[in-house]
């Protein structure tokens, strides 16, 4: 009870409240502007958060992460242009409703489903915290190594159709984190005699380059656009009443968001498509999906807004991020010498409870803000994309330079910005590089810590949790190979069928 009160008192601090307001409202605005997105905003703000207390910095970033999807639904519904990538499925049914003259209904439903999903995810996180407190101390070095290895495998396999590219990019990320002075042997690794590489490649510099600068370059090289979103009329709270008629869809979709949010490499996209498919298959009018079905809109928004709270579970319990945004948050913990994982629930439980309360508060703040400011946000959507590109470019370089007052960092970030632009043009994923750097560092440290206590390779999995994680790794790889073989058989069967048809003709 004392820890719960201490967590609540953290939220009562003026600096935490200010961070919560700025993060939650700023996240909505950022989400509503197509072409920016939470990853860009968090990357730009990350250097500034290092100067704050952990609870302040994390609250600011959580506010942006958790609220951007609310804002991203607005352009998805009104102009068929998702504000964030995870709102793409929202436009399937949201925009047809706008074309049918039901823009008000679609937006209010999106807000209500987002709020339902967000609060459901937080409730699951709070209920799971006692379980995490019990299980987390059972994870030693070898268990965390295997969990990180499982995470990076899932991240790679999540990119269906691009597995080879995702694997190579993840390996590139692992390589990047090895550059510099080895902390154990004090030898130089892959520095090639260049003094500026002795301190390694800074994760924040890479993040700003790959996410923020690449997006700036992308916007500056693309045709200038000013999306036009017309104001809407009506009470935004009307969607809450309609949502009650679809409680089952909203709850199941939120459940998908929670389960898949806890699994590294899956996240919002998989949760959305699974919940959307479920809603369509169980609907009395499945033919309306893609043409303005409210259940489709609810399934999409409830699923993606349940993910942020769920994604905090592996981060807090094991120190393992599931995607790029939580990887950025992990750096805030490290800067302040607060290490997520087994010890966090024992030594800093008040910080954990403070984050729970912050997540609840941000959803309430965002919902209240949106009820009164939707038409203001429709004006913000009209910002020209070239102007956005220039602003992102300036803020990114300011953020990079402020890290160590280094022009070299700015040049490295620019190089990664060009790499990010190339990857975007080729439609290749960026996230595996960041998770490769983060998870690769965790894997190296934990493997080195575990090796002195191992006599044979089998000792790595001689404990129950380690054995379970190893079995999960084998199962995931086996299931993926099975799926690939099934696709290959179907492809060959289709080719044989086409050949037979051509011979008959």
């Amino acid at each position: 009870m004392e820890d719960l009160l201490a967590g609540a008192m953290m939220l009562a601090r003026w600096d935490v409240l200010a961070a919560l307001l700025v993060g939650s409202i700023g996240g909505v605005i950022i989400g509503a502007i197509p072409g920016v997105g939470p990853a860009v905003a968090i990357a730009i703000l990350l250097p500034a958060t290092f100067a704050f207390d952990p609870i302040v910095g994390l609250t600011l970033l959580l506010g942006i992460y958790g609220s951007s999807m609310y804002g991203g639904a607005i352009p998805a519904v009104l102009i068929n242009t998702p504000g964030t990538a995870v709102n793409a499925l929202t436009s399937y049914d949201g925009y047809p409703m706008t074309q049918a003259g039901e823009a008000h209904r679609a937006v209010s439903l999106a807000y209500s489903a987002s709020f339902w999903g967000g609060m459901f995810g937080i409730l699951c996180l709070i209920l799971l915290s006692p379980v995490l407190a019990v299980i987390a101390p059972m994870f030693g070095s070898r268990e965390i190594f295997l969990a990180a290895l499982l995470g990076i495998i899932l991240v790679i396999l999540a990119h269906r159709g691009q597995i080879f590219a995702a694997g190579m990019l993840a390996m590139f990320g692992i390589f990047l984190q090895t550059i510099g002075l080895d902390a154990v042997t004090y030898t130089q690794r892959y520095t090639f005699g260049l003094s500026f590489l002795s301190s390694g490649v800074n994760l924040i510099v890479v993040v700003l380059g790959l996410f923020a600068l690449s997006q700036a370059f992308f916007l500056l090289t693309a045709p200038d656009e000013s999306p036009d979103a017309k104001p809407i009329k009506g009470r935004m709270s009307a969607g809450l009443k309609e949502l009650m008629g679809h409680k089952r869809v909203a709850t199941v979709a939120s459940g998908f968001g929670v389960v898949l949010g806890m699994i590294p490499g899956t996240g919002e996209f998989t949760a959305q498509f699974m919940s959307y498919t479920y809603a369509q298959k169980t609907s009395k009018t499945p033919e309306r999906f893609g043409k303005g079905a409210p259940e489709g809109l609810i399934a999409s928004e409830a699923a993606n807004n349940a993910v942020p709270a769920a994604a905090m579970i592996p981060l807090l319990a094991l120190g393992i991020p599931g995607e790029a945004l939580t990887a950025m948050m992990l750096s805030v913990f490290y800067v302040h010498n607060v290490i997520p994982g087994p010890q966090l629930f024992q030594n800093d439980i008040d910080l954990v409870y403070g984050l729970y309360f912050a997540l609840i508060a941000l959803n309430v703040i965002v919902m209240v803000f949106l009820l009164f400011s939707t038409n203001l946000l429709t004006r913000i959507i009209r910002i020209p994309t070239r102007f956005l590109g220039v602003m992102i470019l300036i803020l990114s370089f300011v953020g990079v330079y402020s890290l160590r007052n280094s022009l070299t960092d700015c040049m490295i970030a620019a190089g990664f910005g060009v790499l990010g632009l190339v990857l975007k043009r080729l439609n290749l994923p960026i996230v595996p590089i960041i998770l490769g750097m983060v998870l690769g560092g965790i894997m190296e440290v934990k493997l080195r810590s575990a090796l002195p206590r191992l006599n044979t390779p089998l000792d790595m999995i001689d404990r129950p949790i380690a054995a379970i994680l190893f079995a999960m790794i084998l199962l995931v790889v086996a299931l993926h190979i099975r799926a690939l073989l099934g696709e290959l058989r179907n492809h060959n069967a289709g080719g044989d069928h086409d050949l037979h048809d051509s011979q008959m003709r």
Side-chain angles (χ1 to χ4, degrees), residues 6-330:
M9 289 303 295
M10 277 189 174
L11 197 64
R13 288 169 39 183
W14 72 269
D15 51 352
V16 178
L17 286 173
L20 190 60
L21 285 170
V22 172
S24 55
I25 295 175
V28 172
I29 296 171
I30 289 162
I33 303 174
V36 183
V40 174
I42 289 176
I44 292 172
L45 288 172
L46 202 54
T49 61
F50 295 159
F52 304 149
D53 286 347
I55 185 65
V56 178
L58 289 168
T59 298
L60 177 62
L61 300 184
L62 270 177
I64 294 171
Y65 181 25
S67 63
S68 60
M69 298 172 203
Y70 282 88
I74 299 173
V77 169
L78 297 182
I79 59 173
N80 201 25
T81 304
T84 71
V86 298
N87 294 108
L89 205 58
T90 303
S91 62
Y92 282 19
D93 291 287
Y95 186 62
M97 291 174 75
T98 297
Q99 289 180 308
E102 296 182 320
H104 160 257
R105 180 190 177 200
V107 172
S108 61
L109 262 181
Y111 292 166
S112 303
S114 298
F115 184 74
W116 183 285
M119 297 304 290
F120 185 92
I122 297 164
L123 178 63
C124 291
L125 175 59
I126 293 172
L127 292 176
L128 285 171
S129 60
V131 180
L132 296 179
V134 173
I135 295 176
M138 298 179 187
F139 277 75
S141 296
R142 67 192 75 174
E143 286 83 5
I144 293 178
F145 168 79
L146 289 169
L149 178 60
L150 175 61
I152 207 161
I153 289 171
L154 287 169
V155 168
I156 294 169
L157 297 183
H159 294 86
R160 297 295 299 268
Q162 297 179 317
I163 291 174
F164 179 77
M168 291 297 99
L169 291 170
M171 295 304 106
F172 177 60
I174 293 173
F175 166 73
L176 287 176
Q177 70 83 30
T178 64
I179 296 173
L181 184 67
D182 184 0
V184 177
T185 62
Y186 296 102
T187 57
Q188 300 284 343
R189 300 192 298 187
Y190 308 113
T191 58
F192 307 104
L194 301 173
S195 59
F196 66 87
L197 289 177
S198 298
S199 58
V201 179
N202 190 288
L203 173 65
I204 310 308
V205 173
V206 177
V207 166
L208 278 162
L210 287 176
F211 286 97
L213 285 175
S214 69
Q215 186 64 18
F217 295 155
F218 183 82
L219 293 174
L220 290 172
T221 54
D224 194 18
E225 296 178 357
S226 298
D228 184 23
K230 297 179 180 179
I232 53 179
K233 299 178 181 179
R235 295 177 58 188
M236 289 296 109
S237 59
L240 288 169
K241 183 177 180 181
E242 185 173 358
L243 182 71
M244 293 299 103
H246 303 286
K247 293 192 293 291
R248 175 184 53 82
V249 171
T251 304
V252 173
S254 301
F256 277 124
V258 169
V259 173
L260 294 169
M262 291 188 292
I263 302 174
T266 52
E268 297 95 344
F269 291 107
T270 310
Q272 276 184 311
F273 280 103
M274 290 183 72
S275 59
Y276 191 88
T277 302
Y278 166 82
Q280 186 174 20
K281 288 184 176 179
T282 58
S283 174
K284 296 178 180 178
T285 55
E287 69 280 357
R288 292 187 59 196
F289 279 70
K291 301 176 183 178
E295 302 103 305
L297 181 60
I298 290 168
S300 170
E301 285 299 299
N304 65 30
N305 279 272
V307 170
M312 296 298 291
I313 295 174
L315 180 70
L316 296 176
L318 303 174
I320 296 175
E323 36 78 63
L325 299 183
T326 47
M328 296 182 204
M329 293 180 200
L330 185 62

Side-chain angles (χ1 to χ4, degrees), residues 425-492:
R425 295 291 190 191
L426 296 175
N427 198 29
L428 294 175
I430 293 174
V431 172
I433 299 177
I434 302 302
L435 290 181
M437 289 188 71
V438 175
L439 295 177
I442 293 171
M443 288 165 62
E444 181 183 8
V445 170
K446 297 304 178 182
L447 182 61
R448 278 182 161 177
S449 177
L451 283 176
R453 295 186 288 276
L454 304 178
N455 296 319
T456 67
L458 289 177
D459 290 344
M460 193 72 181
I461 55 173
D462 64 352
R463 298 197 296 220
I465 294 179
I468 291 170
L469 289 169
F470 184 69
M472 290 174 66
I473 290 172
L474 293 179
L475 180 63
V476 166
V477 173
L479 288 174
H480 184 72
I481 292 173
R482 180 185 174 186
L484 288 179
L485 292 174
E487 290 176 6
L488 183 62
R489 281 195 298 268
N490 292 334
H491 177 73
N492 290 336

Side-chain angles (χ1 to χ4, degrees), residues 398-431:
V398 169
V400 172
Y401 187 78
S402 67
L403 284 171
R404 298 184 289 197
N405 297 333
S406 169
L407 288 175
T408 303
D409 283 348
C410 292
M411 289 187 285
I412 293 173
F416 278 103
V418 173
L419 173 62
L421 178 63
V422 171
L423 292 175
K424 286 182 178 181
R425 295 291 190 191
L426 296 175
N427 198 29
L428 294 175
I430 293 174
V431 172

Side-chain angles (χ1 to χ4, degrees), residues 388-403:
L388 284 175
V390 171
M391 292 304 299
I392 293 171
L393 190 71
I394 294 170
L395 292 172
S396 300
F397 278 122
V398 169
V400 172
Y401 187 78
S402 67
L403 284 171

